[in-house]
């Protein structure tokens, strides 16, 4: 007669309310622990292609159950495919489950508004949207005729800015438009200008993973601080090119 073994009961379980989700869906994660340990939460980790993209802790109820939600959107949700949820409880108690995620294709990120502090002048709004990162801060440096955007770049991406002309602009002495100088981590880069009107300039800047400071330099700034001449801007361009050239020469 063959021996009969009792079925081993897992010490922790985990599941989601569906096997597949689209970008923007709410994922409900739930499970149960067999033995509750006082003041010990469940640690939940979320992986995409083997990379940890989110982590959090979930309180366990007295009956051993736990649940939490995940919003399936944001700068770290960049790949469609299989995602893994791993839960850990106590010492060595681990469970996993997987689900499929489908990223939206062809949709541009929504434009948001950042209120920039302009000192005694007050504030002004900069419209922005970003792919591949998070905008952490936008500030004006009037003495340098510069708008500084601080980002956390999780990957190669792009930043769209709608800059009000009254806050920052770049013009010839005859008032015709000229290009801004744009720097990413102090290295001059190119940009695209999509829409120009009488009240704002809309530019798109591509950045690399690891870039943190993007500077847009013009010739005029909020009225309180006046403007600079095209000669000064040209000097700034030449200086920037020389600095950039020297940076690259060090690696030759």
């Amino acid at each position: 007669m063959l021996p009969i073994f009792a079925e081993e009961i897992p010490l922790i379980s985990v599941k989601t309310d569906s096997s597949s989700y689209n970008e923007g869906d709410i994922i409900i994660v739930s499970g149960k622990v067999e033995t509750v340990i006082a003041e010990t939460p469940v640690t939940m980790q979320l992986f995409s292609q083997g990379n940890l993209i989110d982590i959090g802790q979930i309180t366990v109820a007295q009956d051993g159950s736990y649940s939490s939600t995940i919003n399936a959107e944001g700068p770290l949700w960049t790949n469609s495919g299989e995602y893994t949820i791993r839960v850990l409880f106590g010492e060595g108690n681990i469970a996993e489950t997987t689900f499929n995620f489908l990223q939206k294709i062809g949709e541009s990120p929504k434009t948001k508004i950042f209120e920039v502090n302009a000192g005694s002048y007050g504030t002004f709004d900069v419209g922005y949207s970003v792919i591949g990162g998070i905008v952490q801060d936008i500030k004006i440096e009037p003495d340098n005729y510069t708008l500084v955007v601080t980002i956390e770049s999780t990957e190669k991406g792009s930043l769209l800015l709608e800059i009000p002309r009254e806050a920052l602009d770049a013009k010839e002495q005859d008032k015709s438009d000229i290009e801004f100088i744009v720097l990413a981590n102090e290295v001059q880069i190119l940009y695209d200008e999509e829409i120009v009107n009488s009240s704002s300039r809309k530019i798109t800047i591509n950045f690399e993973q690891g870039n943190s400071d993007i500077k847009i330099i013009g010739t005029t700034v909020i009225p309180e601080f006046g403007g600079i001449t095209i000669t000064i801007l040209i000097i700034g361009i030449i200086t920037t090119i020389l600095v950039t050239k020297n940076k690259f020469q060090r690696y030759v």
Side-chain angles (χ1 to χ4, degrees):
M1 183 176 179
L2 295 175
I4 299 175
F5 297 97
E7 183 178 353
E8 185 176 351
I9 300 175
L11 298 179
I12 183 171
S13 62
V14 63
K15 64 180 181 179
T16 57
D17 62 321
S18 178
S19 60
S20 63
Y21 300 91
N22 295 318
E23 185 173 0
D25 286 348
I26 300 297
I27 302 169
I28 300 176
V29 182
S30 62
K32 190 169 185 178
V33 299
E34 289 302 314
T35 303
V36 177
I37 304 174
E39 299 182 357
T40 301
V42 169
T43 298
M44 180 176 66
Q45 300 172 332
L46 179 63
F47 294 87
S48 171
Q49 298 181 348
N51 298 313
L52 179 65
I53 65 169
D54 198 4
I55 187 170
Q57 292 188 325
I58 310 171
T59 300
V60 179
Q62 291 183 350
D63 64 356
S65 63
Y66 67 89
S67 66
S68 184
T69 59
I70 302 172
N71 193 355
E73 65 179 359
L76 297 178
W77 294 77
T78 56
N79 299 302
S80 296
E82 187 176 83
Y83 283 61
T84 299
I85 294 175
R86 178 182 298 164
V87 291
L88 305 92
F89 183 73
E91 186 174 349
N93 301 317
I94 301 173
E96 291 184 351
T97 188
T98 60
F99 62 87
N100 289 315
F101 170 71
L102 181 62
Q103 188 180 29
K104 292 179 181 177
I105 304 298
E107 291 193 9
S108 300
K110 294 181 180 178
T111 300
K112 300 179 181 179
I113 299 297
F114 196 102
E115 186 177 65
V116 181
N117 183 0
S120 59
Y121 176 77
T123 62
F124 62 89
D125 292 337
V126 173
Y128 75 94
S129 63
V130 62
I131 298 173
I134 301 171
V135 172
Q136 296 179 319
D137 190 26
I138 301 178
K139 63 182 179 181
I140 190 78
E141 293 182 350
D143 292 340
N144 300 321
Y145 302 87
T146 301
L147 188 72
V148 181
V149 183
T150 302
I151 63 171
E152 179 184 344
S153 52
T154 55
E155 60 179 335
K156 182 185 294 186
S158 64
L159 172 68
L160 185 147
L161 296 171
E162 186 169 1
I163 305 171
R165 288 182 182 272
E166 66 174 1
L168 183 73
D169 209 347
K171 288 186 174 295
E172 293 271 16
Q173 289 181 330
D174 63 3
K175 304 301 182 182
S176 61
D177 287 341
I178 58 174
E179 292 185 351
F180 292 110
I181 298 173
V182 177
L183 309 178
N185 285 20
E186 303 301 332
V187 176
Q188 187 173 6
I189 59 174
L190 301 176
Y191 70 92
D192 294 321
E193 188 153 5
E194 300 176 1
I195 299 175
V196 178
N197 56 48
S198 60
S199 61
S200 65
R201 295 177 67 167
K202 184 176 287 188
I203 64 174
T204 300
I205 303 164
N206 294 323
F207 56 81
E208 299 294 327
Q209 183 176 4
N211 288 158
S212 57
D213 288 324
I214 295 177
K215 297 181 178 180
I216 301 93
I217 305 171
T219 62
T220 64
V221 74
I222 46 181
E224 179 182 352
F225 300 99
I228 58 176
T229 65
I230 184 61
T231 303
I232 296 176
L233 181 63
I234 292 172
I235 293 172
I237 294 173
I238 294 172
T239 302
T240 301
I241 292 173
L242 289 175
V243 169
T244 304
K245 183 177 180 182
N246 288 336
K247 284 187 177 183
F248 283 116
Q249 284 178 340
R250 290 203 299 266
Y251 297 97
V252 176

Short mmCIF file of all heavy atoms in Angstrom, two decimals, residues 183-244:
data_model
loop_
_atom_site.label_atom_id
_atom_site.label_comp_id
_atom_site.label_asym_id
_atom_site.label_seq_id
_atom_site.Cartn_x
_atom_site.Cartn_y
_atom_site.Cartn_z
N LEU A 183 20.05 72.99 -23.26
CA LEU A 183 21.11 72.16 -22.69
C LEU A 183 20.50 71.02 -21.89
O LEU A 183 19.53 71.22 -21.17
CB LEU A 183 22.01 72.98 -21.76
CG LEU A 183 22.61 74.29 -22.27
CD1 LEU A 183 23.42 74.95 -21.17
CD2 LEU A 183 23.47 74.05 -23.49
N ALA A 184 21.07 69.83 -22.02
CA ALA A 184 20.72 68.69 -21.17
C ALA A 184 21.97 68.30 -20.41
O ALA A 184 22.97 67.90 -21.00
CB ALA A 184 20.22 67.52 -22.00
N ASN A 185 21.92 68.47 -19.09
CA ASN A 185 23.10 68.24 -18.25
C ASN A 185 24.30 69.02 -18.78
O ASN A 185 25.41 68.49 -18.90
CB ASN A 185 23.42 66.75 -18.13
CG ASN A 185 22.45 66.03 -17.22
OD1 ASN A 185 21.36 66.51 -16.95
ND2 ASN A 185 22.83 64.86 -16.74
N GLU A 186 24.06 70.28 -19.15
CA GLU A 186 25.08 71.25 -19.59
C GLU A 186 25.65 70.96 -20.98
O GLU A 186 26.62 71.59 -21.39
CB GLU A 186 26.24 71.34 -18.57
CG GLU A 186 25.80 71.71 -17.17
CD GLU A 186 25.07 73.05 -17.11
OE1 GLU A 186 25.34 73.91 -17.96
OE2 GLU A 186 24.22 73.22 -16.22
N VAL A 187 25.08 70.03 -21.72
CA VAL A 187 25.50 69.76 -23.10
C VAL A 187 24.41 70.23 -24.05
O VAL A 187 23.23 69.88 -23.87
CB VAL A 187 25.78 68.25 -23.32
CG1 VAL A 187 26.14 67.98 -24.78
CG2 VAL A 187 26.91 67.79 -22.41
N GLN A 188 24.78 71.03 -25.05
CA GLN A 188 23.78 71.57 -25.96
C GLN A 188 23.18 70.47 -26.82
O GLN A 188 23.88 69.61 -27.35
CB GLN A 188 24.39 72.65 -26.87
CG GLN A 188 23.34 73.36 -27.71
CD GLN A 188 23.91 74.54 -28.48
OE1 GLN A 188 25.11 74.76 -28.47
NE2 GLN A 188 23.06 75.29 -29.14
N ILE A 189 21.84 70.50 -26.96
CA ILE A 189 21.13 69.51 -27.76
C ILE A 189 20.15 70.24 -28.68
O ILE A 189 19.82 71.41 -28.48
CB ILE A 189 20.37 68.50 -26.88
CG1 ILE A 189 19.36 69.22 -25.97
CG2 ILE A 189 21.33 67.66 -26.06
CD1 ILE A 189 18.47 68.28 -25.17
N LEU A 190 19.67 69.52 -29.69
CA LEU A 190 18.68 70.06 -30.61
C LEU A 190 17.28 69.85 -30.05
O LEU A 190 17.06 69.04 -29.15
CB LEU A 190 18.81 69.38 -31.98
CG LEU A 190 20.17 69.52 -32.68
CD1 LEU A 190 20.16 68.72 -33.97
CD2 LEU A 190 20.51 70.98 -32.94
N TYR A 191 16.32 70.58 -30.61
CA TYR A 191 14.93 70.41 -30.21
C TYR A 191 14.04 70.70 -31.41
O TYR A 191 14.49 71.26 -32.42
CB TYR A 191 14.58 71.33 -29.04
CG TYR A 191 14.53 72.80 -29.39
CD1 TYR A 191 13.33 73.40 -29.77
CD2 TYR A 191 15.67 73.59 -29.35
CE1 TYR A 191 13.28 74.75 -30.10
CE2 TYR A 191 15.63 74.94 -29.67
CZ TYR A 191 14.43 75.51 -30.05
OH TYR A 191 14.38 76.84 -30.38
N ASP A 192 12.78 70.31 -31.31
CA ASP A 192 11.79 70.60 -32.35
C ASP A 192 10.81 71.64 -31.84
O ASP A 192 10.38 71.58 -30.68
CB ASP A 192 11.02 69.33 -32.73
CG ASP A 192 11.92 68.29 -33.40
OD1 ASP A 192 12.79 68.70 -34.19
OD2 ASP A 192 11.75 67.10 -33.12
N GLU A 193 10.46 72.57 -32.70
CA GLU A 193 9.44 73.56 -32.36
C GLU A 193 8.23 73.31 -33.23
O GLU A 193 8.29 73.44 -34.45
CB GLU A 193 9.97 74.98 -32.54
CG GLU A 193 9.02 76.04 -32.02
CD GLU A 193 9.73 77.31 -31.58
OE1 GLU A 193 10.95 77.41 -31.76
OE2 GLU A 193 9.04 78.20 -31.04
N GLU A 194 7.14 72.90 -32.59
CA GLU A 194 5.97 72.45 -33.33
C GLU A 194 4.98 73.58 -33.60
O GLU A 194 4.50 73.74 -34.72
CB GLU A 194 5.27 71.33 -32.56
CG GLU A 194 6.16 70.12 -32.32
CD GLU A 194 5.47 69.07 -31.47
OE1 GLU A 194 4.31 69.29 -31.09
OE2 GLU A 194 6.09 68.05 -31.18
N ILE A 195 4.65 74.32 -32.58
CA ILE A 195 3.59 75.33 -32.70
C ILE A 195 4.11 76.66 -32.15
O ILE A 195 4.62 76.72 -31.04
CB ILE A 195 2.32 74.91 -31.93
CG1 ILE A 195 1.77 73.59 -32.50
CG2 ILE A 195 1.27 76.00 -31.99
CD1 ILE A 195 0.61 73.04 -31.72
N VAL A 196 3.98 77.69 -32.94
CA VAL A 196 4.37 79.03 -32.51
C VAL A 196 3.16 79.94 -32.68
O VAL A 196 2.54 79.97 -33.74
CB VAL A 196 5.56 79.57 -33.34
CG1 VAL A 196 5.89 80.99 -32.90
CG2 VAL A 196 6.77 78.67 -33.18
N ASN A 197 2.82 80.68 -31.64
CA ASN A 197 1.76 81.68 -31.77
C ASN A 197 2.17 82.92 -31.00
O ASN A 197 3.28 83.00 -30.47
CB ASN A 197 0.41 81.12 -31.29
CG ASN A 197 0.47 80.60 -29.86
OD1 ASN A 197 0.97 81.27 -28.97
ND2 ASN A 197 -0.05 79.39 -29.65
N SER A 198 1.29 83.88 -30.93
CA SER A 198 1.64 85.17 -30.34
C SER A 198 1.80 85.12 -28.83
O SER A 198 2.40 86.03 -28.24
CB SER A 198 0.58 86.21 -30.71
OG SER A 198 -0.70 85.81 -30.21
N SER A 199 1.29 84.07 -28.19
CA SER A 199 1.33 84.03 -26.73
C SER A 199 2.28 82.99 -26.15
O SER A 199 2.67 83.08 -24.99
CB SER A 199 -0.08 83.77 -26.17
OG SER A 199 -0.57 82.52 -26.63
N SER A 200 2.67 81.98 -26.95
CA SER A 200 3.53 80.93 -26.41
C SER A 200 4.34 80.26 -27.51
O SER A 200 4.05 80.43 -28.70
CB SER A 200 2.69 79.87 -25.68
OG SER A 200 1.84 79.19 -26.59
N ARG A 201 5.35 79.49 -27.08
CA ARG A 201 6.14 78.67 -27.99
C ARG A 201 6.15 77.25 -27.45
O ARG A 201 6.41 77.02 -26.27
CB ARG A 201 7.57 79.22 -28.11
CG ARG A 201 7.60 80.59 -28.74
CD ARG A 201 9.00 81.18 -28.81
NE ARG A 201 9.87 80.44 -29.72
CZ ARG A 201 11.05 80.91 -30.15
NH1 ARG A 201 11.48 82.10 -29.75
NH2 ARG A 201 11.80 80.19 -30.97
N LYS A 202 5.84 76.29 -28.32
CA LYS A 202 5.75 74.89 -27.92
C LYS A 202 6.93 74.13 -28.52
O LYS A 202 7.09 74.07 -29.73
CB LYS A 202 4.43 74.27 -28.37
CG LYS A 202 4.23 72.84 -27.88
CD LYS A 202 2.87 72.30 -28.28
CE LYS A 202 1.75 72.91 -27.47
NZ LYS A 202 0.45 72.24 -27.72
N ILE A 203 7.77 73.56 -27.65
CA ILE A 203 8.97 72.86 -28.10
C ILE A 203 9.00 71.44 -27.54
O ILE A 203 8.46 71.18 -26.46
CB ILE A 203 10.26 73.62 -27.70
CG1 ILE A 203 10.42 73.67 -26.18
CG2 ILE A 203 10.26 75.03 -28.28
CD1 ILE A 203 11.74 74.28 -25.73
N THR A 204 9.62 70.53 -28.30
CA THR A 204 9.79 69.15 -27.86
C THR A 204 11.28 68.84 -27.78
O THR A 204 12.02 69.05 -28.74
CB THR A 204 9.12 68.16 -28.83
OG1 THR A 204 7.72 68.45 -28.90
CG2 THR A 204 9.31 66.73 -28.36
N ILE A 205 11.70 68.34 -26.62
CA ILE A 205 13.11 68.06 -26.35
C ILE A 205 13.27 66.57 -26.08
O ILE A 205 12.60 66.02 -25.21
CB ILE A 205 13.58 68.86 -25.12
CG1 ILE A 205 13.36 70.36 -25.34
CG2 ILE A 205 15.05 68.56 -24.80
CD1 ILE A 205 13.44 71.18 -24.06
N ASN A 206 14.14 65.92 -26.83
CA ASN A 206 14.46 64.52 -26.57
C ASN A 206 15.61 64.43 -25.57
O ASN A 206 16.59 65.18 -25.69
CB ASN A 206 14.83 63.80 -27.87
CG ASN A 206 13.67 63.71 -28.83
OD1 ASN A 206 12.53 63.51 -28.43
ND2 ASN A 206 13.95 63.86 -30.12
N PHE A 207 15.49 63.53 -24.60
CA PHE A 207 16.54 63.40 -23.59
C PHE A 207 16.96 61.95 -23.45
O PHE A 207 16.26 61.03 -23.88
CB PHE A 207 16.07 63.96 -22.24
CG PHE A 207 14.81 63.34 -21.70
CD1 PHE A 207 14.82 62.12 -21.04
CD2 PHE A 207 13.59 63.99 -21.85
CE1 PHE A 207 13.66 61.56 -20.54
CE2 PHE A 207 12.42 63.44 -21.35
CZ PHE A 207 12.46 62.22 -20.70
N GLU A 208 18.12 61.75 -22.84
CA GLU A 208 18.68 60.42 -22.61
C GLU A 208 18.40 59.97 -21.18
O GLU A 208 18.19 60.79 -20.29
CB GLU A 208 20.20 60.41 -22.86
CG GLU A 208 20.60 60.79 -24.27
CD GLU A 208 20.16 59.76 -25.30
OE1 GLU A 208 20.13 58.56 -24.96
OE2 GLU A 208 19.85 60.15 -26.44
N GLN A 209 18.41 58.67 -20.97
CA GLN A 209 18.28 58.15 -19.61
C GLN A 209 19.43 58.69 -18.76
O GLN A 209 20.58 58.66 -19.16
CB GLN A 209 18.30 56.62 -19.60
CG GLN A 209 18.10 56.01 -18.22
CD GLN A 209 18.05 54.49 -18.27
OE1 GLN A 209 18.23 53.90 -19.32
NE2 GLN A 209 17.79 53.87 -17.14
N GLY A 210 19.10 59.20 -17.60
CA GLY A 210 20.12 59.77 -16.72
C GLY A 210 20.17 61.28 -16.75
O GLY A 210 20.73 61.90 -15.85
N ASN A 211 19.60 61.91 -17.80
CA ASN A 211 19.54 63.37 -17.82
C ASN A 211 18.66 63.85 -16.67
O ASN A 211 17.63 63.24 -16.37
CB ASN A 211 18.97 63.88 -19.14
CG ASN A 211 19.91 63.73 -20.31
OD1 ASN A 211 19.50 63.71 -21.46
ND2 ASN A 211 21.21 63.61 -20.05
N SER A 212 19.07 64.94 -16.02
CA SER A 212 18.30 65.43 -14.88
C SER A 212 17.93 66.91 -14.99
O SER A 212 16.88 67.32 -14.52
CB SER A 212 19.07 65.20 -13.58
OG SER A 212 20.34 65.83 -13.64
N ASP A 213 18.80 67.71 -15.61
CA ASP A 213 18.52 69.15 -15.74
C ASP A 213 18.47 69.53 -17.21
O ASP A 213 19.43 69.31 -17.95
CB ASP A 213 19.60 69.98 -15.04
CG ASP A 213 19.49 69.91 -13.53
OD1 ASP A 213 18.36 69.85 -13.03
OD2 ASP A 213 20.54 69.91 -12.86
N ILE A 214 17.36 70.11 -17.62
CA ILE A 214 17.20 70.63 -18.97
C ILE A 214 17.01 72.14 -18.87
O ILE A 214 16.13 72.61 -18.15
CB ILE A 214 16.02 69.97 -19.69
CG1 ILE A 214 16.30 68.47 -19.89
CG2 ILE A 214 15.75 70.64 -21.03
CD1 ILE A 214 15.17 67.70 -20.51
N LYS A 215 17.87 72.88 -19.58
CA LYS A 215 17.83 74.34 -19.51
C LYS A 215 17.44 74.91 -20.87
O LYS A 215 17.99 74.50 -21.89
CB LYS A 215 19.19 74.89 -19.09
CG LYS A 215 19.61 74.46 -17.68
CD LYS A 215 20.96 75.06 -17.29
CE LYS A 215 21.34 74.65 -15.87
NZ LYS A 215 22.65 75.22 -15.47
N ILE A 216 16.50 75.84 -20.86
CA ILE A 216 16.08 76.55 -22.07
C ILE A 216 16.48 78.00 -21.89
O ILE A 216 15.99 78.68 -20.98
CB ILE A 216 14.56 76.41 -22.31
CG1 ILE A 216 14.17 74.93 -22.44
CG2 ILE A 216 14.15 77.16 -23.55
CD1 ILE A 216 13.73 74.28 -21.14
N ILE A 217 17.37 78.48 -22.75
CA ILE A 217 17.94 79.82 -22.61
C ILE A 217 17.40 80.71 -23.72
O ILE A 217 17.44 80.35 -24.90
CB ILE A 217 19.48 79.78 -22.67
CG1 ILE A 217 20.02 78.81 -21.61
CG2 ILE A 217 20.06 81.18 -22.46
CD1 ILE A 217 21.50 78.54 -21.73
N GLY A 218 16.89 81.88 -23.34
CA GLY A 218 16.34 82.82 -24.31
C GLY A 218 17.04 84.16 -24.25
O GLY A 218 18.14 84.30 -23.70
N THR A 219 16.38 85.18 -24.81
CA THR A 219 16.94 86.53 -24.82
C THR A 219 16.08 87.51 -24.03
O THR A 219 16.54 88.60 -23.69
CB THR A 219 17.06 87.06 -26.26
OG1 THR A 219 15.76 87.15 -26.84
CG2 THR A 219 17.94 86.16 -27.09
N THR A 220 14.83 87.15 -23.76
CA THR A 220 13.96 88.00 -22.95
C THR A 220 13.32 87.16 -21.87
O THR A 220 13.04 85.97 -22.06
CB THR A 220 12.85 88.67 -23.79
OG1 THR A 220 11.98 87.67 -24.32
CG2 THR A 220 13.45 89.49 -24.92
N VAL A 221 13.08 87.78 -20.73
CA VAL A 221 12.50 87.08 -19.61
C VAL A 221 11.37 87.94 -19.07
O VAL A 221 11.13 89.04 -19.58
CB VAL A 221 13.60 86.79 -18.55
CG1 VAL A 221 13.97 88.04 -17.80
CG2 VAL A 221 13.20 85.65 -17.62
N ILE A 222 10.64 87.46 -18.07
CA ILE A 222 9.49 88.18 -17.54
C ILE A 222 9.81 89.67 -17.38
O ILE A 222 10.92 90.03 -17.03
CB ILE A 222 9.03 87.57 -16.20
CG1 ILE A 222 10.22 87.32 -15.27
CG2 ILE A 222 8.27 86.30 -16.42
CD1 ILE A 222 9.84 86.70 -13.95
N PRO A 223 8.84 90.55 -17.68
CA PRO A 223 9.10 92.00 -17.83
C PRO A 223 9.92 92.63 -16.72
O PRO A 223 10.68 93.56 -16.95
CB PRO A 223 7.69 92.59 -17.88
CG PRO A 223 6.86 91.49 -18.45
CD PRO A 223 7.45 90.21 -17.92
N GLU A 224 9.81 92.10 -15.52
CA GLU A 224 10.52 92.69 -14.39
C GLU A 224 12.03 92.70 -14.63
O GLU A 224 12.75 93.56 -14.13
CB GLU A 224 10.20 91.90 -13.13
CG GLU A 224 10.91 92.39 -11.89
CD GLU A 224 10.59 91.55 -10.67
OE1 GLU A 224 9.71 90.68 -10.76
OE2 GLU A 224 11.23 91.77 -9.63
N PHE A 225 12.51 91.74 -15.44
CA PHE A 225 13.95 91.58 -15.58
C PHE A 225 14.48 92.04 -16.94
O PHE A 225 15.66 91.96 -17.21
CB PHE A 225 14.33 90.11 -15.36
CG PHE A 225 13.95 89.62 -14.00
CD1 PHE A 225 12.78 88.88 -13.83
CD2 PHE A 225 14.72 89.91 -12.90
CE1 PHE A 225 12.42 88.43 -12.57
CE2 PHE A 225 14.35 89.46 -11.63
CZ PHE A 225 13.20 88.72 -11.48
N GLY A 226 13.59 92.48 -17.85
CA GLY A 226 14.06 93.02 -19.12
C GLY A 226 14.56 91.97 -20.07
O GLY A 226 14.13 90.83 -20.05
N GLY A 227 15.52 92.33 -20.96
CA GLY A 227 16.00 91.42 -21.97
C GLY A 227 17.47 91.59 -22.23
O GLY A 227 18.11 92.51 -21.74
N ILE A 228 18.02 90.68 -23.04
CA ILE A 228 19.41 90.78 -23.45
C ILE A 228 19.45 90.88 -24.96
O ILE A 228 18.49 90.57 -25.64
CB ILE A 228 20.25 89.57 -22.97
CG1 ILE A 228 19.66 88.26 -23.51
CG2 ILE A 228 20.33 89.54 -21.47
CD1 ILE A 228 20.50 87.05 -23.16
N THR A 229 20.57 91.30 -25.48
CA THR A 229 20.69 91.49 -26.91
C THR A 229 21.09 90.20 -27.58
O THR A 229 21.57 89.26 -26.96
CB THR A 229 21.75 92.56 -27.22
OG1 THR A 229 23.02 92.07 -26.80
CG2 THR A 229 21.43 93.87 -26.51
N ILE A 230 20.90 90.17 -28.90
CA ILE A 230 21.27 89.00 -29.68
C ILE A 230 22.77 88.74 -29.59
O ILE A 230 23.22 87.60 -29.64
CB ILE A 230 20.83 89.18 -31.15
CG1 ILE A 230 21.13 87.92 -31.96
CG2 ILE A 230 21.50 90.38 -31.78
CD1 ILE A 230 20.42 86.70 -31.46
N THR A 231 23.58 89.81 -29.42
CA THR A 231 25.03 89.63 -29.30
C THR A 231 25.37 88.76 -28.10
O THR A 231 26.21 87.86 -28.17
CB THR A 231 25.73 90.99 -29.17
OG1 THR A 231 25.38 91.79 -30.29
CG2 THR A 231 27.23 90.82 -29.10
N ILE A 232 24.70 89.04 -26.97
CA ILE A 232 24.96 88.25 -25.77
C ILE A 232 24.54 86.81 -25.98
O ILE A 232 25.21 85.87 -25.55
CB ILE A 232 24.22 88.86 -24.56
CG1 ILE A 232 24.78 90.26 -24.26
CG2 ILE A 232 24.34 87.97 -23.33
CD1 ILE A 232 24.05 90.99 -23.16
N LEU A 233 23.41 86.60 -26.69
CA LEU A 233 22.97 85.23 -26.95
C LEU A 233 23.98 84.49 -27.80
O LEU A 233 24.30 83.33 -27.56
CB LEU A 233 21.60 85.23 -27.63
CG LEU A 233 21.02 83.85 -27.93
CD1 LEU A 233 20.77 83.09 -26.63
CD2 LEU A 233 19.74 83.95 -28.73
N ILE A 234 24.53 85.17 -28.83
CA ILE A 234 25.53 84.54 -29.69
C ILE A 234 26.76 84.15 -28.88
O ILE A 234 27.32 83.06 -29.03
CB ILE A 234 25.91 85.47 -30.86
CG1 ILE A 234 24.71 85.62 -31.81
CG2 ILE A 234 27.11 84.94 -31.61
CD1 ILE A 234 24.92 86.67 -32.88
N ILE A 235 27.19 85.05 -27.98
CA ILE A 235 28.33 84.73 -27.11
C ILE A 235 28.02 83.50 -26.28
O ILE A 235 28.85 82.61 -26.09
CB ILE A 235 28.68 85.93 -26.21
CG1 ILE A 235 29.21 87.08 -27.06
CG2 ILE A 235 29.69 85.53 -25.15
CD1 ILE A 235 29.40 88.37 -26.28
N GLY A 236 26.77 83.43 -25.78
CA GLY A 236 26.36 82.27 -24.99
C GLY A 236 26.41 80.99 -25.80
O GLY A 236 26.84 79.94 -25.31
N ILE A 237 25.97 81.06 -27.07
CA ILE A 237 26.00 79.88 -27.94
C ILE A 237 27.43 79.42 -28.16
O ILE A 237 27.75 78.24 -28.05
CB ILE A 237 25.32 80.18 -29.28
CG1 ILE A 237 23.82 80.44 -29.08
CG2 ILE A 237 25.52 79.04 -30.26
CD1 ILE A 237 23.11 80.91 -30.32
N ILE A 238 28.33 80.38 -28.47
CA ILE A 238 29.74 80.03 -28.72
C ILE A 238 30.36 79.41 -27.48
O ILE A 238 31.05 78.39 -27.55
CB ILE A 238 30.52 81.28 -29.15
CG1 ILE A 238 30.02 81.77 -30.52
CG2 ILE A 238 32.02 80.98 -29.22
CD1 ILE A 238 30.60 83.09 -30.95
N THR A 239 30.09 80.01 -26.31
CA THR A 239 30.64 79.47 -25.06
C THR A 239 30.14 78.06 -24.81
O THR A 239 30.90 77.16 -24.43
CB THR A 239 30.23 80.37 -23.88
OG1 THR A 239 30.70 81.69 -24.13
CG2 THR A 239 30.82 79.85 -22.57
N THR A 240 28.84 77.84 -25.05
CA THR A 240 28.25 76.52 -24.84
C THR A 240 28.88 75.49 -25.76
O THR A 240 29.21 74.38 -25.35
CB THR A 240 26.73 76.57 -25.08
OG1 THR A 240 26.16 77.51 -24.19
CG2 THR A 240 26.11 75.20 -24.84
N ILE A 241 29.08 75.86 -27.04
CA ILE A 241 29.68 74.94 -28.00
C ILE A 241 31.10 74.58 -27.58
O ILE A 241 31.52 73.42 -27.63
CB ILE A 241 29.66 75.55 -29.41
CG1 ILE A 241 28.22 75.64 -29.92
CG2 ILE A 241 30.51 74.72 -30.37
CD1 ILE A 241 28.08 76.39 -31.22
N LEU A 242 31.86 75.58 -27.10
CA LEU A 242 33.24 75.32 -26.67
C LEU A 242 33.28 74.41 -25.47
O LEU A 242 34.08 73.48 -25.39
CB LEU A 242 33.94 76.65 -26.35
CG LEU A 242 34.27 77.55 -27.56
CD1 LEU A 242 34.85 78.87 -27.08
CD2 LEU A 242 35.24 76.84 -28.51
N VAL A 243 32.36 74.65 -24.51
CA VAL A 243 32.31 73.79 -23.32
C VAL A 243 31.95 72.38 -23.71
O VAL A 243 32.56 71.41 -23.27
CB VAL A 243 31.28 74.34 -22.30
CG1 VAL A 243 31.03 73.32 -21.19
CG2 VAL A 243 31.78 75.65 -21.71
N THR A 244 30.95 72.25 -24.60
CA THR A 244 30.53 70.92 -25.06
C THR A 244 31.67 70.22 -25.78
O THR A 244 31.94 69.03 -25.58
CB THR A 244 29.32 71.04 -26.00
OG1 THR A 244 28.28 71.74 -25.32
CG2 THR A 244 28.82 69.67 -26.42
#
